[in-house]
């Protein structure tokens, strides 16, 4: 099984006149490739997946696969739902598009038990047994936490489940998981703590900020995985103000605004119920961005 690790970017989805801006999307992916990102992640939280149609979902994945073909950058696509049957369809759809691996967010709103989470993930992974599969734990969004016991049970019993994107904000959770299963691939899902997770044995990151700064984020991961923890920490520290302001409002509102301010997307459009950040937040984002060199397309 050819798993995906390293630096990965949770791609924004650019819109123009209410529709997916396919050319802008392809250009953003090319920029990620040119700046050394190991994998791009279409249709995740940052990509406003909750407001995309199934056709748009598929098109985003198709474009990512097309652009990354023949490069060293892989496609780690989102394939999750609060309905197990819908998540299975999403996983099969991703497989048909030719993605390299998928990650699947914990089922939100329904608040399943740990047994329900186990059965949910087992059913999805079993539906695409040849496709590398990552769990995605983000309790702040889903109101359910995939416990360490459940993660380990899934890792031990389901062949293609190889890792987890941990967005609990808890370093202790990463320490627990890797102390119990060192071979589990743990990804940082919180930009501010990329370095400490990697230094503790994490295998990669899935970043929001790397939409804007793929060069520094890819270098941070490269250094950490090579054992240069001082170098990785220096980059993590340098990026802290930017990582922080990217969450001054709900993701992906700030990062998309930052991409627009930087001239990386032509239009600043969201899908309702998401809207542009407040004027106060926009000023904060602009001020912080002045301290960084942002590479163009």
């Amino acid at each position: 099984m050819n798993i995906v690790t390293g630096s990965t970017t949770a791609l924004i989805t650019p819109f123009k006149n209410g529709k997916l801006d396919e050319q802008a999307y392809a250009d953003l992916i090319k920029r990620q490739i040119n700046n050394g990102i190991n994998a791009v992640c279409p249709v995740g939280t940052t990509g406003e997946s909750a407001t995309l149609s199934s056709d748009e979902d598929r098109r985003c994945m198709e474009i990512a696969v097309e652009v990354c073909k023949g490069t060293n950058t892989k496609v780690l696509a989102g394939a999750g739902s609060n309905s197990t049957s819908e998540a299975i369809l999403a996983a099969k759809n991703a497989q048909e598009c030719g993605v390299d691996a998928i990650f699947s967010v914990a089922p939100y709103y329904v608040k399943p038990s740990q047994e329900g989470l186990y059965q949910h993930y087992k059913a999805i992974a079993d539906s695409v047994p040849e496709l590398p599969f990552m769990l995605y734990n983000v309790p702040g969004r889903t109101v359910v936490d995939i416990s360490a016991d459940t993660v380990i049970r899934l890792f031990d019993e389901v062949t293609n489940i190889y890792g987890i994107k941990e967005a609990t904000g808890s370093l202790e959770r990463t320490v627990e998981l890797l102390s119990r299963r060192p071979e589990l691939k743990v990804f940082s899902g919180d930009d501010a703590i990329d370095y400490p997770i990697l230094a503790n044995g994490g295998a990669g990151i899935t970043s929001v900020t790397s939409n804007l700064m793929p060069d520094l984020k890819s270098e941070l991961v490269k250094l950490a995985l090579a054992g240069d923890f001082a170098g990785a920490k220096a980059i993590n520290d340098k990026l802290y103000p930017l990582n922080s302001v990217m969450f001054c409002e709900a993701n992906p509102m700030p990062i998309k605004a930052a991409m627009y301010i930087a001239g990386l997307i032509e239009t600043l459009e969201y899908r309702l119920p998401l809207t542009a950040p407040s004027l106060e937040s926009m000023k904060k984002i602009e001020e912080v961005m002045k301290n960084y060199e942002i590479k163009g397309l």
Side-chain angles (χ1 to χ4, degrees):
M1 187 167 61
N2 190 16
I3 64 173
V4 174
T5 57
S7 57
T8 78
T9 297
L11 295 169
I12 65 163
T13 303
F15 300 120
K16 194 170 187 178
N17 300 320
K19 296 180 180 179
L20 170 65
D21 188 338
E22 295 191 6
Q23 186 57 57
Y25 197 58
D27 288 343
L28 292 175
I29 294 170
K30 289 174 187 174
R31 178 172 175 265
Q32 294 291 318
I33 295 168
N34 292 339
N35 283 282
I37 287 292
N38 297 126
V40 292
C41 305
V43 297
T45 305
T46 309
E48 297 176 72
S49 59
T51 63
L52 297 179
S53 69
S54 57
D55 287 343
E56 288 171 326
D57 235 40
R58 186 180 184 92
R59 188 63 190 132
C60 286
M61 289 188 284
E62 287 174 344
I63 292 169
V65 170
E66 288 165 9
V67 175
C68 291
K69 187 176 182 180
T71 75
N72 293 322
T73 300
K74 305 298 184 184
V75 180
L76 172 62
S81 173
N82 58 350
S83 159
T84 304
S85 60
E86 288 294 323
I88 288 170
L89 289 175
K92 289 181 175 179
N93 192 31
Q95 186 176 48
E96 288 171 6
C97 289
V99 307
D100 297 285
I102 59 173
F103 65 97
S104 188
V105 70
Y108 41 89
Y109 186 74
V110 291
K111 298 177 76 172
S113 65
Q114 292 301 310
E115 179 63 24
L117 287 169
Y118 171 82
Q119 296 293 345
H120 172 80
Y121 278 120
K122 185 177 186 305
I124 304 166
D126 284 348
S127 75
V128 285
E130 304 302 319
L131 195 60
F133 191 106
M134 288 193 73
L135 310 172
Y136 175 17
N137 193 26
V138 56
R141 289 272 187 173
T142 63
V143 203
V144 63
D145 180 19
I146 313 170
S147 73
D149 286 343
T150 300
V151 172
I152 288 166
R153 183 183 175 196
L154 285 162
F155 179 66
D156 286 349
E157 297 178 13
V158 185
T159 306
N160 55 327
I161 292 179
Y162 75 94
I164 182 168
K165 175 185 173 184
E166 258 299 321
T168 58
S170 168
L171 288 175
E172 183 178 352
R173 177 62 60 84
T174 295
V175 171
E176 179 182 4
L177 288 170
L178 290 173
S179 70
R180 294 172 65 181
R181 293 296 183 276
E183 63 275 27
L184 177 72
K185 305 304 182 186
V186 176
F187 278 31
S188 168
D190 291 289
D191 280 282
I193 55 174
D194 286 348
Y195 161 72
I197 285 181
L198 291 167
N200 188 68
I205 67 171
T206 299
S207 171
V208 173
T209 305
S210 61
N211 278 282
L212 197 63
M213 306 294 291
D215 52 335
L216 288 186
K217 280 291 187 173
S218 60
E219 184 66 12
L220 186 162
V221 176
K222 182 180 175 182
L223 291 174
L225 295 182
D228 184 353
F229 296 120
K233 184 179 186 300
I235 295 175
N236 202 77
D237 290 347
K238 179 179 180 179
L239 286 171
Y240 180 76
L242 188 62
N243 289 333
S244 180
V245 81
M246 287 302 100
F247 294 90
C248 65
E249 293 191 25
N251 180 43
M253 293 189 287
I255 184 59
K256 208 167 192 182
M259 298 290 279
Y260 176 71
I261 292 166
L264 295 169
I265 53 175
E266 290 183 9
T267 58
L268 183 57
E269 292 187 31
Y270 303 82
R271 289 274 173 84
L272 286 172
L274 293 184
T275 58
S278 68
L279 289 176
E280 181 183 0
S281 292
M282 288 291 277
K283 287 177 183 176
K284 285 181 184 177
I285 295 166
E286 285 187 79
E287 282 302 309
V288 171
M289 285 174 62
K290 290 176 182 176
N291 298 312
Y292 299 88
E293 180 187 350
I294 298 164
K295 294 188 176 181
L297 295 172

